[in-house]
Amino acid sequence: MSSTSTGSTPPRQALSKIACNRIQKELVEWQVNPPHGFKHKVTDNLQRWVIDVNGAPGTLYANETYQLQVDFPEHYPMEAPQVIFVPPAPLHAHIYSNGHICLDILYDSWSPAMTVSSICISILSMLSSSTAKQRPEDNDRYVKNCRNGRSPKETRWWFHDDKV
Amino acid sequence: MAPSAAESPSAMQAERLRQDGNTYFKKDRFGAAIDAYTEAITLCPNVPVYWTNRALCHRKRNDWTKVEEDSRRAIYLDHSSFKALDLGRGANPQSYIVEEIWQELAKAKYQEWEHESNKRSWELQTLKEACESALKEKISLDSSQIEGFLDDTIDSNPAQLEAQLEALGQVFEKAAEPDLPTEVPDYLCCKITLDIFRDPVITPSGLSYERAVILEHMEKVGEFDPITREPLHLYQLIPNLAIKEAVQAFLDKHGWAYKTD
């Protein structure tokens, strides 16, 4: 199951010039000033970033490392990037076992002023405030629906709450 | 303000003149095309496409001052509605005329900077070498004059020379600084493009964005300020002339910042 979700690539459209410039600038900024707890090994693939996330000390995910996969759409930043965990994904009430993340800023509440760096910080804060390691209630149903390699951006999300 | 289907006789005539202008333009008869568009503008001054078409003619003739004048006018008319905006920049947002002009201008300005900074750096290097050897000469001259008098002065000469050479090096480094490509300060960059401003507009939140990009955001993402998420309306966008001047001052001093791509 895990292979269907990460192996699936969103339809690859070449990045627009605006997107290219913007990602390039974010990459430079990341290299100078990476968000704390994250590591991105720069490759020549501008369109997909794979980022290591370290659980923050003193939280349920301390000493655990996960991987985020960020795919940029053609019209980034007018469209949100697709951000998922590469399975095994952390156990969390808003993270599905296929790596999809239920977080409003990645979908309806996206704003082009956000960056990969600010997304990373939001995800880490979501992990850090978790009080129990558990999957979302509808995990099995949702993951089954995504088996054909559907992108989380095609999901019609309803956002659980903003506490966790 | 978009050209409504020709209703009045003057609007109909202006449309005919525009078509004439287009025909001339296709035949590379830019003077005749300019005359036709000018007549159309006299009849209907509020139709942005007449201005942008005339701007394109001026561009073909490398008359940049007039390109800017006409484009400004078109943009002034343009941003009152998305429809007009689409007219001004064509179907493709990347052909937005400010962006096109910027690209051309930036390329030329960058080349000019490359040329002149090479010259400046060569001049500075020559001057620096001359100063260094003069300094060395002076110190050895001083020390030969006082030889035999004060032994410790002779000993301190190499150290003194060293210090003065270092200070000289710093002076020349400072002088070359504006030509050294670094980062453009954040306050001169749009928070969406992360690039230096070309045509900044300010929102009621006090934040500035690149005009073409904030318009695209409002069209595609939503009518809110991308950072504060406050509701935002087209009429609230105001050109930020102060930032624009600051950008120009920065570019005049640091031509490397014209580098595109």
Side-chain angles (χ1 to χ4, degrees):
Chain A
M1 190 170 305
S2 56
S3 61
T4 50
S5 52
T6 53
S8 75
T9 37
R12 279 306 173 95
Q13 289 286 323
L15 293 170
S16 71
K17 197 157 167 261
I18 293 175
C20 255
N21 279 341
R22 155 88 187 228
I23 299 168
Q24 201 81 55
K25 294 235 152 65
E26 279 194 52
L27 196 56
V28 172
E29 175 58 26
W30 180 294
Q31 281 166 309
V32 183
N33 186 19
H36 192 74
F38 294 88
K39 223 161 91 194
H40 165 45
K41 200 171 158 284
V42 179
T43 64
D44 50 8
N45 187 351
L46 200 60
Q47 204 164 357
R48 170 174 287 177
W49 295 16
V50 178
I51 298 169
D52 284 340
V53 191
N54 291 317
T59 69
L60 292 179
Y61 307 89
N63 302 317
E64 294 174 16
T65 301
Y66 297 96
Q67 268 193 339
L68 280 172
Q69 179 179 295
V70 181
D71 285 289
F72 296 97
E74 179 188 5
H75 293 297
Y76 181 77
M78 290 303 146
E79 268 175 59
Q82 176 192 291
V83 183
I84 57 172
F85 276 102
V86 179
L91 270 172
H92 184 283
H94 297 168
I95 301 170
Y96 293 88
S97 54
N98 62 0
H100 292 194
I101 307 165
C102 178
L103 179 64
D104 60 351
I105 57 161
L106 296 177
Y107 314 104
D108 304 9
S109 301
W110 169 252
S111 156
M114 286 188 284
T115 61
V116 178
S117 185
S118 68
I119 293 171
C120 283
I121 292 165
S122 293
I123 291 176
L124 189 62
S125 128
M126 184 178 101
L127 284 178
S128 299
S129 55
S130 164
T131 52
K133 280 189 165 183
Q134 61 184 45
R135 287 281 173 228
E137 272 175 33
D138 58 339
N139 185 68
D140 292 350
R141 186 166 51 84
Y142 176 77
V143 171
K144 211 168 123 196
N145 279 336
C146 291
R147 258 192 312 205
N148 53 1
R150 190 168 70 164
S151 157
K153 292 180 74 182
E154 291 159 34
T155 302
R156 196 173 305 178
W157 293 97
W158 54 277
F159 298 100
H160 303 81
D161 59 67
D162 50 13
K163 287 194 290 292
V164 182
Chain B
M1 291 225 199
S4 48
E7 286 151 359
S8 65
S10 61
M12 275 162 68
Q13 200 190 334
E15 262 312 290
R16 269 197 302 274
L17 284 160
R18 179 177 75 94
Q19 281 158 15
D20 290 349
N22 292 356
T23 313
Y24 292 135
F25 185 86
K26 279 182 203 135
K27 292 180 181 160
D28 288 350
R29 292 179 57 196
F30 303 121
I34 287 172
D35 290 343
Y37 295 135
T38 306
E39 280 187 62
I41 286 167
T42 316
L43 288 166
C44 298
N46 287 338
V47 182
V49 72
Y50 301 161
W51 296 90
T52 48
N53 282 5
R54 197 170 72 175
L56 283 169
C57 296
H58 291 312
R59 199 181 107 173
K60 289 280 184 190
R61 291 163 46 135
N62 282 328
D63 191 343
W64 293 100
T65 318
K66 287 191 173 141
V67 173
E68 191 187 350
E69 273 170 26
D70 281 1
S71 306
R72 267 185 203 286
R73 185 73 207 176
I75 290 156
Y76 170 76
L77 296 168
D78 248 0
H79 66 250
S80 52
S81 82
F82 281 126
K83 222 175 192 175
L85 182 76
D86 286 337
L87 252 178
R89 65 188 180 186
N92 176 3
Q94 279 168 24
S95 71
Y96 187 59
I97 193 151
V98 169
E99 187 57 29
E100 272 183 59
I101 294 170
W102 169 270
Q103 293 289 343
E104 293 286 330
L105 182 77
K107 230 190 306 173
K109 286 280 192 181
Y110 186 79
Q111 280 171 358
E112 185 186 50
W113 169 79
E114 262 185 328
H115 179 76
E116 285 182 1
S117 73
N118 272 339
K119 211 169 84 187
R120 275 194 294 271
S121 117
W122 187 80
E123 281 167 1
L124 274 182
Q125 191 55 36
T126 317
L127 186 61
K128 188 182 171 196
E129 280 161 18
C131 288
E132 280 172 351
S133 60
L135 202 59
K136 284 176 194 158
E137 221 165 275
K138 178 182 171 293
I139 290 199
S140 71
L141 203 66
D142 285 354
S143 62
S144 67
Q145 280 173 350
I146 53 176
E147 208 163 0
F149 286 99
L150 297 158
D151 281 3
D152 52 331
T153 321
I154 300 163
D155 287 345
S156 72
N157 273 341
Q160 191 192 352
L161 177 64
E162 200 64 36
Q164 286 188 328
L165 282 177
E166 204 191 308
L168 189 72
Q170 281 167 359
V171 168
F172 277 96
E173 221 168 83
K174 197 89 195 156
E177 230 166 52
D179 275 334
L180 202 68
T182 51
E183 289 292 303
V184 178
D186 280 350
Y187 55 85
L188 299 181
C189 293
C190 167
K191 292 283 183 297
I192 301 179
T193 63
L194 306 181
D195 206 359
I196 194 162
F197 279 121
R198 294 108 155 94
D199 186 14
V201 289
I202 189 163
T203 71
S205 308
L207 295 159
S208 293
Y209 302 97
E210 187 62 40
R211 184 197 300 277
V213 173
I214 187 74
L215 287 173
E216 198 187 348
H217 157 77
M218 291 173 73
E219 203 171 4
K220 290 187 180 161
V221 185
E223 301 208 349
F224 62 91
D225 188 303
I227 292 179
T228 63
R229 295 185 184 273
E230 294 286 324
L232 182 62
H233 304 287
L234 282 176
Y235 65 84
Q236 291 176 311
L237 298 176
I238 295 166
N240 190 338
L241 301 178
I243 287 286
K244 200 171 180 174
E245 277 176 41
V247 164
Q248 199 50 56
F250 185 85
L251 286 168
D252 289 345
K253 218 172 178 177
H254 309 278
W256 48 263
Y258 274 112
K259 193 168 177 73
T260 50
D261 65 59

